[in-house]
Amino acid sequence: MDTDVLSAPYVLEYTYQRSTGPVIGRFLTALRDARLEGVRTSAGKVLVPPLEYDPETGEATGDPVEVGQSGTVTTWSWVHAPRRFHPLDRPFAWALVKLDGADTAMLHAVDAGTPTVMATGMRVTARWRAERTGSIRDLECFVPAGGASR
Amino acid sequence: MSAPPDERPPVTVLQAPVRLDYTVTAGHHLSTYLRALADRKIVGGRCPECHKVYLPARGACPTCGVPADAPVEVADQGTVTTFCVIRIPFDAAPFPPPYVAVAILLDGADMPIFHLVRGIEPDAARMGMRVRAVWVPDDQLGPTLASIRWFEATGEPDAPFEAIASHL
Ligand SMILES: [Zn+2]
């Protein structure tokens, strides 16, 4: 028997295409227009990103609500070595960002340049792509309020 | 390329591909089987206790619990034990549908392999059908089951059900 063992790349790929439903579809359509939208629950909370059902009551959520382009980092984690499918090709932070006017925080990237800039409670602002298609990637990332550190 | 935002219809569909990049390590037994394919040979392993021929060979016979890796070359022809006619197209389909995927019990083996049968009408696929390997040209042979392009009907009479009954 041969003692050398063969190995080879093996790619498993599912090319899923999903229906968004009306609530996420509206959120993505707003991103295409460089706007951030959530939904209001019956208790008056604003959920961003929107959910179809209120996690507290199970009721369908209500009207869309536009929120601010800036927000506050509630927690974050630094990525020293971005991987191929990450939103940025340089070190960045994954962060939960509570947008102004929202009651929940949204996961996205912060292009901060260096982790020493990052802090819970820091203010960040959306940076949009010029070509937008109706995807979460239309929002390229957040940058520290007062200017990108690029 | 894209229209002004308010002229485009609302977003209703999301592309959400999932991709996993693996490196598969074949292990000794599978490597032996794959290397043999590059020489137009199909090599399994026999269990010394129950004498079953596994294809590829196994580190242990699941029935007897002993190594089942005494190399045995099996034939490149055999009997269809079961089949499926693919009629719905998908991205990785090897041919435009309809086409026939089969489990084949190669002569001398006790475990079927999975492959395709070409050159028959899908409705002609059946259990017991005798088929033989169609190998790729020499310059395309490699340590992969793709060295067998597909199987074709031999034209022999079908094998009786009893010949495959214990291998289904
Ligand atoms: Zn055995």
Side-chain angles (χ1 to χ4, degrees):
Chain A
M1 184 188 307
D2 286 311
T3 51
D4 289 341
V5 163
L6 295 168
S7 71
Y10 182 76
V11 177
L12 193 59
E13 188 168 29
Y14 301 100
T15 53
Y16 288 126
Q17 175 173 280
R18 293 162 56 189
S19 299
T20 59
V23 173
I24 301 300
R26 200 164 52 211
F27 173 68
L28 296 174
T29 303
L31 292 178
R32 197 176 61 189
D33 296 341
R35 293 184 300 107
L36 289 156
E37 266 190 19
V39 286
R40 197 181 302 280
T41 70
S42 58
K45 275 193 175 178
V46 175
L47 312 180
V48 184
L51 297 172
E52 294 184 343
Y53 297 95
D54 182 345
E56 286 176 14
T57 65
E59 291 172 20
T61 50
D63 294 332
V65 183
E66 184 167 355
V67 296
Q69 302 262 325
S70 298
T72 304
V73 169
T74 63
T75 185
W76 57 277
S77 178
W78 191 254
V79 179
H80 286 279
R83 303 185 65 114
R84 185 149 58 108
F85 293 112
H86 275 164
L88 295 169
D89 60 4
R90 51 196 175 276
F92 68 96
W94 285 119
L96 284 172
V97 177
K98 194 158 117 179
L99 293 161
D100 297 341
D103 292 290
T104 58
M106 180 168 87
L107 181 70
H108 216 294
V110 177
D111 187 10
T114 161
T116 57
V117 172
M118 292 301 301
T120 296
M122 76 185 284
R123 297 282 299 163
V124 292
T125 302
R127 180 162 78 206
W128 298 96
R129 290 183 195 282
E131 284 286 331
R132 293 185 299 275
T133 60
S135 150
I136 189 64
R137 291 187 177 228
D138 290 352
L139 174 56
E140 185 180 3
C141 60
F142 287 93
V143 294
S149 52
R150 255 219 270 211
Chain B
M1 81 173 210
S2 47
D6 41 345
E7 285 181 18
R8 290 186 281 180
V11 176
T12 57
V13 168
L14 174 64
Q15 305 301 330
V18 173
R19 181 186 166 102
L20 300 166
D21 282 296
Y22 290 103
T23 300
V24 171
T25 301
H28 292 295
H29 300 101
L30 189 55
S31 294
T32 300
Y33 163 82
L34 292 170
R35 282 210 173 81
L37 287 166
D39 292 330
R40 298 178 186 261
K41 292 190 171 120
I42 306 171
V43 174
R46 190 187 306 278
C47 171
E49 290 195 11
C50 68
H51 307 300
K52 277 192 177 145
V53 173
Y54 291 99
L55 191 64
R58 292 192 168 193
C61 172
T63 307
C64 311
V66 299
D69 55 3
V72 178
E73 186 177 343
V74 303
D76 69 351
Q77 57 181 18
T79 303
V80 171
T81 60
T82 185
F83 66 93
C84 174
V85 180
I86 290 86
R87 298 187 183 275
I88 298 171
F90 59 100
D91 281 353
F95 306 107
Y99 62 94
V100 184
V102 289
I104 302 167
L105 187 66
L106 295 169
D107 297 344
D110 288 289
M111 257 179 92
I113 62 166
F114 296 98
H115 220 294
L116 305 171
V117 170
R118 301 280 281 167
I120 58 165
E121 290 300 318
D123 293 345
R126 59 201 183 272
M127 296 167 75
M129 182 176 190
R130 295 285 296 163
V131 293
R132 70 172 152 247
V134 176
W135 296 84
V136 298
D138 282 355
D139 62 353
Q140 291 170 31
L141 286 168
T144 160
L145 190 54
S147 288
I148 298 176
R149 181 180 278 162
W150 54 66
F151 282 75
E152 64 183 6
T154 66
E156 297 167 274
D158 286 3
F161 180 70
E162 295 69 42
I164 56 172
S166 60
H167 296 90
L168 295 178

